Amino acid sequence: MRIADIGEFALIERLHGLVAMERPDVIVGIGDDVAVLSVDGDQWLLATVDCQVEDVHFLRRAITPAQLGRRALAINLSDLAAIGGYPLFALVSLGLPNSLDVLWVEELYHGLGHEARQHGVAIVGGNMTRSPGGIWVDVTVLGRVRRDEVILRSGARPGDLVLVTGQLGAAAAGLQLLLDPELTHVVGDPEPALTRHFTPTPRLAEAAVIARSRQATAMIDLSDGLSSDIGHICEQSGVGVRLWAAALPIAPAARAIAAARGEPPWNIALAGGEDYELCFTAPPDAAASLAAAIQEQTGALVTVVGEILPAEAGRWMRLPEGDAIPLAPRGWEHFKPV
Amino acid sequence: MRIADIGEFALIERLHGLVAMERPDVIVGIGDDVAVLSVDGDQWLLATVDCQVEDVHFLRRAITPAQLGRRALAINLSDLAAIGGYPLFALVSLGLPNSLDVLWVEELYHGLGHEARQHGVAIVGGNMTRSPGGIWVDVTVLGRVRRDEVILRSGARPGDLVLVTGQLGAAAAGLQLLLDPELTHVVGDPEPALTRHFTPTPRLAEAAVIARSRQATAMIDLSDGLSSDIGHICEQSGVGVRLWAAALPIAPAARAIAAARGEPPWNIALAGGEDYELCFTAPPDAAASLAAAIQEQTGALVTVVGEILPAEAGRWMRLPEGDAIPLAPRGWEHFKPV
């Protein structure tokens, strides 16, 4: 049985069982994007790792090394934001072909350093190895979270509203623009979508407002796509969900590309990954004031896009016409079964 | 200028400058194998990352996945041991070809889990990505060290003695046996050398005795080879060194292979990497009692192999005949300039 036959999530599930270990100092372990660890003091330690692989996550000819450096760190910072934490340190593990130009590696570090300074992260170490294949950049980020401010994926309750920051589908639109430059004249200004694709912005400031409010019941960052990522909240909270297609804050470029292709605009917003926006849930009486606080303190758009249901009600999206369709995870998965 | 033109250590030096950041919570940052970080509490946080890459560090046909899993974790534990710390948590980041068998990955995790349980480490997370090339296993380990027990590379002083645990050259002999099975009848029993090559033993128990004694002035683990690794202590302590060839505790298999090839036996002990023994320095009046304490409490052999000199005296090895030859780093370096 090949990995491609069962897919990433089933494989993680199997491996989890092999190394599971009950320990009081492991608050959240394998299976989540971020490990939550108790060392000492009044805060928990956070640890997360994410990798950018050539020809899987990036094409060397399409992205600059500085963009790649920023991106490789930003996606980890987004994971910490999604749990209500803040980053402190990063370790950078590189696989590099022998023939690679030293300037390329220095530019990568310029990008890493830029993103690190912007978010108060110290790059404290790493590793470098020769890669017989392509480049990969594996970044580990350590951070902290106040014990009373941590936001897990498991706290959503029926009746809660579902909110997202920013706009959806921009990163996916950027990727489409790279794959098919003909689309450029469809979208007008391609820059916002391309920028979002190359160098996503981790929503640390927004996460800090949400965490301090203590009103969010669950949170995740949108790395795989809303339909897939909200599924993680549903599984771990034991709930269902109804998203509202008409409410989705779809990025203009995504909307334009969908229109040019005669597709409904919400497809790209649901299935397009890598937006790195935050998706969170909050009780209905708290959602509006929380959204307003985030917008006021960070300038970020916040939109209510659906509601949490009991588990037995299932997972749905209500179309603008009023019909509901089953919400299938359609985001990014490695080793995708075909 | 290609990476291969300047080599690993020069590249790290250049990158260090690009992201250097003075922060009071970073006790030891880029350039060392282990980052030492101040979060809170009376201990420092340790973080290290090391990677095993197919066709660079291992051949898929030569090592079992369980051995690879143990090895990938053990080499990181060895780094923590070398600073006087103990491990707590590990994150495992994998690059896997789509065609890989699920059983292979499960066996890898069996090995990781085995090594983790043996040393009280909880595997708390990681990442998994498709690799278009070969397999790589990138492991991050987090640990702790008491502030008053940390042993850095920078504390060696002229007059200190140099000590090593265990025997040298065993892992290199194991590798030679794999590359040239004809050598098997030269060494008698090949198993100890092969085992050391496939699954090194991190010297955590020995390191704990050394750290608690507070008598070691500097320490490093022997990953690249004694001649290269003692060089790191010399650079960071600002000292020179004289090793004694006749005193080196050379593994029987390494000695036998050297004899069969008509080479001096200390070559393989100096230049052969991956022994993951500890090399440490201590004042002469403390060295004997410290060595005895380690042997008594762990059963490990401990040998005095040389002495620290002033920096201007240089780095030497005294041959059994009494002549001294310059000690050149001849251990493993990635992207080796040729």
Side-chain angles (χ1 to χ4, degrees):
Chain A
M1 183 169 56
R2 300 170 315 143
I3 298 176
D5 298 330
I6 66 169
E8 178 185 9
F9 296 123
L11 181 56
I12 291 173
E13 193 68 31
R14 292 172 77 119
L15 300 178
H16 187 173
L18 295 179
V19 295
M21 191 192 247
E22 287 292 323
R23 274 209 351 203
D25 55 348
V26 180
I27 314 300
V28 176
I30 289 186
D32 211 299
D33 284 341
V34 178
V36 183
L37 309 166
S38 174
V39 279
D40 51 21
D42 62 344
Q43 297 195 45
W44 279 326
L45 179 68
L46 304 175
T48 185
V49 56
D50 214 332
C51 193
Q52 292 282 299
V53 179
E54 184 172 359
D55 295 335
V56 176
H57 303 92
F58 69 91
L59 299 171
R60 211 189 300 185
R61 65 172 188 278
I63 194 168
T64 70
Q67 286 172 327
L68 180 64
R70 290 186 58 183
R71 180 185 173 77
L73 185 53
I75 59 178
N76 279 288
L77 301 182
S78 179
D79 278 327
L80 286 205
I83 204 160
Y86 62 96
L88 293 170
F89 311 111
L91 293 102
V92 179
S93 188
L94 299 176
L96 304 173
N98 235 330
S99 59
L100 195 65
D101 198 295
V102 169
L103 284 180
W104 193 98
V105 189
E106 291 185 338
E107 275 303 305
L108 177 83
Y109 262 76
H110 273 299
L112 284 163
H114 176 95
E115 191 76 16
R117 278 187 299 276
Q118 209 158 20
H119 298 288
V121 177
I123 298 177
V124 296
N127 190 59
M128 216 179 286
T129 171
R130 182 165 68 80
S131 165
I135 298 166
W136 46 261
V137 183
D138 201 30
V139 177
T140 302
V141 172
L142 306 178
R144 303 287 275 176
V145 66
R146 286 177 53 112
R147 292 175 189 221
D148 54 356
E149 291 185 358
V150 71
I151 307 170
L152 302 180
R153 296 175 181 177
S154 51
R157 295 292 166 258
D160 285 353
L161 295 177
V162 180
L163 299 91
V164 297
T165 60
Q167 295 184 320
L168 306 181
L175 180 60
Q176 293 303 318
L177 286 166
L178 287 176
L179 297 175
D180 181 3
E182 293 280 304
L183 286 171
T184 305
H185 59 87
V186 171
V187 303
D189 180 9
E191 277 314 312
L194 289 171
T195 301
R196 175 56 61 99
H197 170 73
F198 285 128
T199 52
T201 303
R203 293 290 198 180
L204 284 161
E206 293 77 4
V209 177
I210 298 168
R212 280 199 307 267
S213 80
R214 296 176 207 183
Q215 291 180 318
T217 51
M219 186 150 68
I220 194 167
D221 69 323
L222 297 178
S223 55
D224 297 332
L226 178 58
S227 59
S228 176
D229 291 320
I230 190 75
H232 294 305
I233 286 183
C234 288
E235 272 148 39
Q236 291 184 36
S237 297
V239 297
V241 69
R242 186 188 296 117
L243 297 180
W244 309 327
L248 295 174
I250 300 169
R255 206 176 274 281
I257 291 174
R261 290 179 171 165
E263 292 171 3
W266 34 264
N267 260 2
I268 193 167
L270 286 182
E274 309 197 314
D275 279 321
Y276 297 103
E277 295 294 349
L278 295 172
C279 170
F280 57 103
T281 58
D285 56 351
S289 64
L290 179 52
I294 300 166
Q295 281 177 288
E296 192 183 304
Q297 291 176 51
T298 70
L301 181 72
V302 181
T303 313
V304 178
V305 297
E307 61 202 307
I308 296 295
L309 307 176
E312 58 275 17
R315 303 178 197 173
W316 301 89
M317 184 169 66
R318 197 177 65 200
L319 299 181
E321 305 78 37
D323 294 339
I325 57 170
L327 188 69
R330 282 188 302 185
W332 173 261
E333 189 182 351
H334 282 293
F335 318 110
K336 215 173 291 194
V338 280
Chain B
M1 186 169 56
R2 300 170 316 143
I3 297 177
D5 298 329
I6 67 168
E8 178 185 8
F9 297 123
L11 181 55
I12 291 172
E13 194 67 32
R14 292 171 76 118
L15 300 178
H16 187 173
L18 295 179
V19 294
M21 193 193 244
E22 287 293 322
R23 271 204 1 196
D25 55 348
V26 180
I27 314 300
V28 177
I30 288 187
D32 211 300
D33 284 342
V34 178
V36 183
L37 309 166
S38 174
V39 279
D40 52 20
D42 62 344
Q43 297 194 47
W44 279 326
L45 179 69
L46 304 175
T48 185
V49 57
D50 215 333
C51 191
Q52 292 282 297
V53 179
E54 184 172 359
D55 296 335
V56 177
H57 304 92
F58 69 92
L59 299 171
R60 211 190 299 187
R61 65 170 188 279
I63 194 167
T64 70
Q67 286 172 326
L68 180 63
R70 290 186 57 184
R71 180 185 173 75
L73 185 52
I75 59 178
N76 279 288
L77 301 182
S78 179
D79 278 326
L80 286 205
I83 203 160
Y86 60 96
L88 294 169
F89 311 111
L91 294 102
V92 180
S93 187
L94 300 175
L96 304 172
N98 234 331
S99 59
L100 195 66
D101 198 294
V102 170
L103 284 179
W104 193 97
V105 189
E106 290 184 338
E107 276 303 306
L108 178 83
Y109 262 76
H110 273 299
L112 283 163
H114 177 95
E115 192 76 16
R117 277 187 300 276
Q118 210 157 18
H119 299 288
V121 177
I123 297 177
V124 295
N127 190 59
M128 216 179 284
T129 170
R130 182 164 69 78
S131 165
I135 297 166
W136 46 261
V137 183
D138 200 29
V139 177
T140 301
V141 172
L142 305 179
R144 301 288 273 177
V145 67
R146 286 178 52 114
R147 291 175 189 222
D148 53 356
E149 291 185 359
V150 71
I151 308 170
L152 302 181
R153 297 175 180 176
S154 51
R157 295 290 166 261
D160 286 353
L161 295 176
V162 180
L163 299 92
V164 297
T165 61
Q167 296 183 319
L168 306 180
L175 179 60
Q176 294 302 317
L177 286 165
L178 287 176
L179 296 174
D180 181 4
E182 293 279 305
L183 287 171
T184 305
H185 60 87
V186 171
V187 301
D189 181 8
E191 277 313 313
L194 289 171
T195 300
R196 174 56 61 99
H197 170 73
F198 285 129
T199 52
T201 302
R203 294 290 197 179
L204 284 161
E206 293 77 4
V209 177
I210 298 168
R212 280 198 307 265
S213 79
R214 297 178 206 181
Q215 292 180 318
T217 50
M219 186 149 68
I220 194 167
D221 68 325
L222 297 178
S223 55
D224 297 332
L226 178 58
S227 59
S228 175
D229 291 321
I230 191 74
H232 294 305
I233 287 183
C234 289
E235 273 148 39
Q236 291 184 35
S237 296
V239 296
V241 70
R242 186 188 297 116
L243 297 179
W244 310 326
L248 294 172
I250 299 168
R255 207 176 274 282
I257 290 174
R261 291 180 171 164
E263 294 172 2
W266 35 263
N267 260 3
I268 193 167
L270 287 182
E274 308 199 315
D275 280 320
Y276 297 102
E277 296 293 350
L278 295 173
C279 171
F280 57 103
T281 57
D285 57 350
S289 65
L290 179 53
I294 299 166
Q295 281 178 289
E296 193 183 304
Q297 293 177 49
T298 69
L301 180 73
V302 181
T303 313
V304 178
V305 298
E307 60 202 309
I308 296 294
L309 306 177
E312 58 276 17
R315 304 178 197 173
W316 301 90
M317 184 168 67
R318 197 177 66 201
L319 298 181
E321 304 79 36
D323 295 339
I325 57 169
L327 189 69
R330 283 188 302 184
W332 173 262
E333 188 184 351
H334 282 292
F335 318 109
K336 215 172 292 192
V338 281

